[in-house]
Amino acid sequence: MSDAPGAAASAMGSGRELANPPSDGISNLRFSNHSDHLLVSSWDKTVRLYDAEANLLKGEFAHPGPVLDCCFHDDSSGFSAGADHTVRRLSFTSSKEDVLGRHDAPVRCVEYSYAAGQVITGSWDKTIKCWDPRGVSGPERTLVGTYAQPERVYSMSLVGNTPSVPKWSRLVVATAGRHVSIYDLRNMSQPEQKRESSLKYQTRCVRCFPNGTGYALSSVEGRVSMEFFDLSESAQSKKYAFKCHRKSESGRDTVYPVNAIAFHPIYGTFATGGHDGFVNVWDGTNKKRLYQYSKYASSIAALSFSKDGHLLAVASSYGYEEGEKPHEPDAIFIRGVNEVEVKPKPKALAAPQ
């Protein structure tokens, strides 16, 4: 992947800062599939719903402990993953919350599968659980299944997340110990594939390609790998890894964790966010960096493109990678995305002989 200074332009400005941000570390943020609503979870024990375009806080739920992840159900309701081991459903319209169920340790990840109609959670108790949110007779009735994992769950991603493409309904689970499990949502009894990360260091984030052919996985050691589901020799020959979020000074390399990956919904290019405070946009097919945004004041904790790809939400939030120290206030920026920043550049054709 070309990451030379000349390989990318730089976009000035951080974007528009959202009012009323969380008061502690931001664990995740996600745009709705239906609007410019943005759901945000935080270590300050809240889940907040914003209208990103209007810069308006529309609602907030307070939890007993830190919230490690969140996802939408529909435009005004969602689910949360709590450090208090609890999975909750949140309705911002009625200001009502329900407990779907619990794990035996903090819940690190939550996803909603529109294809399966289920909530999927991953925990540090080394399990993933599937829940039917329509269950009305208490937590015992909502649990569909519990599936053991080789280690603590660190990151998860769904693809084929619509009823119209069930053949792509895959779940990728990344755990401690560099394990990666790939499930077909139609048969969760055992993984379709078990893999080991191509990267040598701890996994930080995994996100599926929008076209359903594979996933990108990042590590704490400034690298991203591009992996493919198809196990044929021709498909596996396409996989590769590249270095990013590093700087070289006086012959010494400083390497930063790559905390976040977000794919553009139209072009399939993707953004990465690192502890170095930079957001880079990559063309994975042509192996080039398209853009680098101006440095943010703090580590990039999470990224999300809006449904049409015209907005990018950036969480600038210190993740305590270097322990307790003075740091900038946690902030969420909404930046307008120009096509030149995310559209793959056509390969130059060779001159005719």
Side-chain angles (χ1 to χ4, degrees):
M1 187 79 81
S2 177
D3 195 18
S10 178
M12 297 302 292
S14 299
R16 179 165 42 86
E17 187 171 350
L18 280 187
N20 302 303
S23 59
D24 201 351
I26 297 164
S27 56
N28 203 9
L29 50 72
R30 303 203 200 203
F31 270 110
S32 165
N33 288 333
H34 307 287
S35 71
D36 291 333
H37 285 179
L38 185 74
L39 199 61
V40 180
S41 55
S42 170
W43 283 81
D44 74 356
K45 307 179 184 179
T46 68
V47 178
R48 298 168 189 238
L49 178 68
Y50 297 88
D51 183 327
E53 191 62 62
N55 197 351
L56 178 68
L57 178 63
K58 293 181 68 70
E60 179 178 341
F61 279 92
H63 287 12
V67 190
L68 305 185
D69 198 6
C70 62
C71 70
F72 276 100
H73 184 199
D74 56 34
D75 211 33
S76 58
S77 68
F79 304 98
S80 65
D84 66 347
H85 309 183
T86 305
V87 184
R88 292 176 173 85
R89 175 172 50 188
L90 313 170
S91 170
F92 288 90
T93 305
S94 64
S95 299
K96 181 185 175 188
E97 74 173 63
D98 300 308
V99 172
L100 278 188
R102 291 180 172 84
H103 280 264
D104 294 329
V107 190
R108 178 63 187 87
C109 307
V110 60
E111 298 280 349
Y112 179 68
S113 168
Y114 294 92
Q118 292 180 4
V119 180
I120 304 164
T121 53
S123 169
W124 292 341
D125 68 3
K126 304 182 185 179
T127 70
I128 56 175
K129 294 190 178 192
C130 293
W131 314 86
D132 184 346
R134 295 165 298 186
V136 292
S137 304
E140 298 77 18
R141 298 292 178 89
T142 63
L143 182 62
V144 175
T146 301
Y147 310 100
Q149 299 301 299
E151 251 291 1
R152 290 154 292 157
V153 177
Y154 282 168
S155 187
M156 298 193 319
S157 185
L158 279 171
V159 71
N161 203 9
T162 62
S164 60
V165 282
K167 67 174 182 176
W168 283 350
S169 296
R170 283 194 171 107
L171 171 71
V172 180
V173 182
T175 73
R178 299 170 44 247
H179 299 284
V180 179
S181 297
I182 301 164
Y183 288 87
D184 182 333
L185 282 186
R186 295 166 299 181
N187 178 19
M188 290 291 294
S189 58
Q190 61 182 24
E192 190 179 43
Q193 298 177 32
K194 293 181 181 180
R195 298 186 181 186
E196 186 177 84
S197 167
S198 299
L199 307 180
K200 294 179 181 177
Y201 293 88
Q202 178 184 304
T203 300
R204 185 53 68 95
C205 182
V206 65
R207 292 292 180 265
C208 292
F209 303 164
N211 66 7
T213 60
Y215 58 91
L217 182 145
S218 70
S219 78
V220 297
E221 190 256 344
R223 289 178 198 261
V224 173
S225 67
M226 307 295 284
E227 307 281 346
F228 295 86
F229 294 134
D230 185 343
L231 293 174
S232 70
E233 193 174 331
S234 60
Q236 290 302 305
S237 68
K238 298 176 185 175
K239 74 177 186 179
Y240 66 93
F242 63 95
K243 299 176 183 178
C244 52
H245 298 281
R246 297 160 176 248
K247 71 177 178 183
S248 188
E249 288 179 338
S250 308
R252 287 187 61 189
D253 265 357
T254 305
V255 181
Y256 299 95
V258 184
N259 298 326
I261 302 170
F263 278 89
H264 191 273
I266 309 301
Y267 294 119
T269 51
F270 62 98
T272 58
H275 179 56
D276 56 355
F278 282 106
V279 176
N280 294 315
V281 182
W282 308 92
D283 176 352
T285 303
N286 295 317
K287 302 183 181 180
K288 290 190 180 298
R289 188 173 73 181
L290 296 174
Y291 241 84
Q292 182 178 76
Y293 296 120
S294 300
K295 191 174 191 284
Y296 285 84
S298 199
S299 175
I300 306 303
L303 297 167
S304 182
F305 283 104
S306 60
K307 64 177 175 43
D308 58 8
H310 286 132
L311 298 175
L312 174 65
V314 180
S316 173
S317 177
Y318 179 56
Y320 293 86
E321 294 94 339
E322 299 169 41
E324 189 73 53
K325 71 171 191 178
H327 57 86
E328 293 293 321
D330 301 287
I332 300 166
F333 295 92
I334 306 296
R335 48 179 323 128
V337 177
N338 295 318
E339 196 174 73
V340 67
E341 299 163 13
V342 292
K343 187 176 181 179
K345 293 176 173 61
K347 287 188 174 181
L349 296 173
Q353 298 297 313

